Amino acid sequence: MKTALSCFNRFNLLAGLLALGLLGLAGCSDKPSGAAPEAAAKPASAPAAGAAPVSVSTVRAQQRDLPVLLTATGTVTPLTSVDVKAQVTSVVVKVLIKEGQFVKAGELMFTLDARTDEANLAKARAQLAKDNAALADARRQLARSQDLFAQKFVSQGAVDTSQAQVDALAATINADQAAIDAAMVSLSYDRITAPHAGRAGQVVVYPGSVVQANVTPLVTITQLSPIGVAYSLPQRNLTDALGALKGGGAAVTAKLADGGGSFQGRLQFVDNLVDASSGSVKAKAVFDNADNKLWPGAFVQVSQTINVLKGAVIVPEAALIQGARGTVLYTLVDGVAVSKPVKVEYAQGLDAAVSGIAAGDVVVVDGKQNVRPGVRLVERAATADKDAQKTPAAANASGADTSKPAAP
């Protein structure tokens, strides 16, 4: 009985202590609620009172014309490239060119066995001489028949027969002349000349080689100057490219991938079909290539001026800040940072054409990561920055202040 009573007293004691603890917690949590809203109402981006100014470098927005460049990867393609083949089946007699040689249009490159064609030409000429003699005799017979008809010794029928014989032999003469022309054409096939000026490729036949008509390739002649560069235009730039094509062709710059130089050309061709799979249009530019540095099949970086933004406001692209709400930049107004939303019209290299600010505005470039709206700014001295880069140890030792107050 005593044991049960002792346990009951202990339970009552623990319950009382627990109740006192809960009352204490409730009293601690009973604080004024005005402090939290005041803290929440304070802007997170507002600068702290007495905060040190941020050192930045700035530039002024400029207003000038900015060319809109289209860049693409192009391939050097020859304007003409011909695989030279024999037009008759024969045997190669002479090879008059060397591999890699530059040839002129009409220059003799190969000769074939022409004995059969020369014999056919001689035969055709002999037949012409024979028929010419027969025609002369027929004309004399016609003249006699006409004299005898005038003396009424022969009938009109005899005269007509002589006239018909003369006409037939005249037609035969024309056929003989056509046969001679055909024989001369066949004979010309035995002398293979360059179809155009260019560079000869690999020669695959030698004297004594048998070539088949229109089958066996002899050499490839490729034109190197002028030469073309093929590339693709986005569909959105098609209108500008067609306009430039009507005006004599837009200027096109090509740069070799190995840094072999830059070349200037003109846009010459825009295809009449948009590729549905890529949304681009094939284009070709022509380059003089007098020094033969652009080689067929080489890859080049092509840049073409397709438009010019007149009077655009230009700022360094490094001054732009991409955020969730768009693109902004900081300007310096009366020594204080001001955030301004801008729209990027076009970016090229280190410059960007924007709208939303005016020409002459002071734009923050370096140090913008430490800037917030309303923060006081100081501009870095250009000379001090250069000296600090040259002798950083001396600058740190002297403790000199390399910043100057921002001009209002």
Side-chain angles (χ1 to χ4, degrees):
M1 185 66 180
K2 289 182 181 180
T3 303
L5 183 59
S6 176
C7 291
F8 178 77
N9 291 335
R10 290 178 181 177
F11 176 78
N12 288 338
L13 180 60
L14 290 174
L17 292 175
L18 180 60
L20 290 175
L22 291 175
L23 290 175
L25 289 175
C28 292
S29 63
D30 188 15
K31 294 182 179 180
S33 59
E38 290 179 0
K42 184 181 295 184
S45 60
V54 178
S55 177
V56 295
S57 64
T58 61
V59 296
R60 290 188 178 273
Q62 301 178 358
Q63 187 173 17
R64 56 182 172 86
D65 296 342
L66 182 67
V68 179
L69 297 180
L70 169 69
T71 59
T73 300
T75 306
V76 180
T77 58
L79 298 182
T80 56
S81 182
V82 178
D83 293 331
V84 180
K85 299 179 181 179
Q87 293 181 271
V88 293
T89 299
S90 185
V91 178
V92 177
V93 175
K94 292 182 180 179
V95 178
L96 303 175
I97 63 170
K98 297 180 180 179
E99 295 178 341
Q101 175 183 338
F102 284 89
V103 297
K104 300 178 181 179
E107 183 177 345
L108 182 62
M109 300 187 296
F110 303 91
T111 59
L112 306 180
D113 187 1
R115 291 175 295 176
T116 301
D117 295 322
E118 290 174 349
N120 291 334
L121 177 60
K123 180 179 178 180
R125 286 175 174 170
Q127 185 65 40
L128 176 62
K130 177 182 177 181
D131 292 337
N132 277 327
L135 177 60
D137 181 66
R139 284 174 176 169
R140 289 193 296 269
Q141 294 296 333
L142 176 61
R144 293 192 190 100
S145 298
Q146 290 173 344
D147 291 341
L148 292 173
F149 175 75
Q151 299 174 14
K152 298 188 183 297
F153 286 111
V154 295
S155 64
Q156 181 66 40
V159 176
D160 294 342
T161 300
S162 297
Q163 183 65 51
Q165 188 175 6
V166 170
D167 294 341
L169 287 173
T172 302
I173 295 298
N174 293 333
D176 293 341
Q177 187 61 52
I180 291 175
D181 294 340
M184 293 181 66
V185 171
S186 298
L187 185 61
S188 68
Y189 292 157
D190 298 320
R191 294 172 57 85
I192 301 175
T193 59
H196 57 80
R199 187 177 188 271
Q202 182 181 5
V203 179
V204 296
V205 294
Y206 307 94
S209 302
V210 178
V211 293
Q212 296 183 1
N214 301 315
V215 174
T216 307
L218 306 179
V219 69
T220 300
I221 304 298
T222 301
Q223 180 181 353
L224 297 181
S225 179
I227 202 166
V229 172
Y231 58 99
S232 295
L233 287 169
Q235 182 179 353
R236 64 178 179 273
N237 301 127
L238 178 59
T239 303
D240 295 328
L242 292 176
L245 192 61
K246 293 180 180 178
V252 179
T253 303
K255 294 183 180 179
L256 291 171
D258 58 358
S262 178
F263 309 90
Q264 301 297 324
R266 308 293 295 181
L267 178 65
Q268 187 187 62
F269 165 75
V270 176
D271 201 2
N272 58 358
L273 181 67
V274 177
D275 189 351
S277 60
S278 62
S280 60
V281 184
K282 295 180 180 178
K284 181 184 291 185
V286 177
F287 296 79
D288 182 54
N289 199 32
D291 52 2
N292 297 323
K293 289 186 177 181
L294 291 176
W295 212 250
F299 290 99
V300 293
Q301 190 69 23
V302 178
S303 60
Q304 174 186 342
T305 302
I306 59 175
N307 195 7
V308 177
L309 297 179
K310 300 290 186 179
V313 177
I314 309 300
V315 298
E317 192 173 8
L320 302 178
I321 302 174
Q322 302 293 336
R325 297 183 179 181
T327 304
V328 298
L329 54 75
Y330 288 108
T331 60
L332 180 60
V333 180
D334 296 332
V336 177
V338 177
S339 175
K340 289 189 177 181
V342 294
K343 179 182 179 182
V344 180
E345 304 293 344
Y346 176 69
Q348 171 191 323
L350 301 178
D351 296 332
V354 299
S355 59
I357 63 172
D361 287 353
V362 180
V363 179
V364 176
V365 181
D366 294 331
K368 62 182 183 298
Q369 67 275 8
N370 300 322
V371 178
R372 296 295 182 270
V375 171
R376 291 176 52 242
L377 303 178
V378 291
E379 295 182 85
R380 298 172 185 169
T383 57
D385 286 345
K386 292 180 181 179
D387 295 340
Q389 291 176 2
K390 292 179 181 179
T391 57
N396 293 335
S398 62
D401 187 6
T402 60
S403 61
K404 64 177 181 179

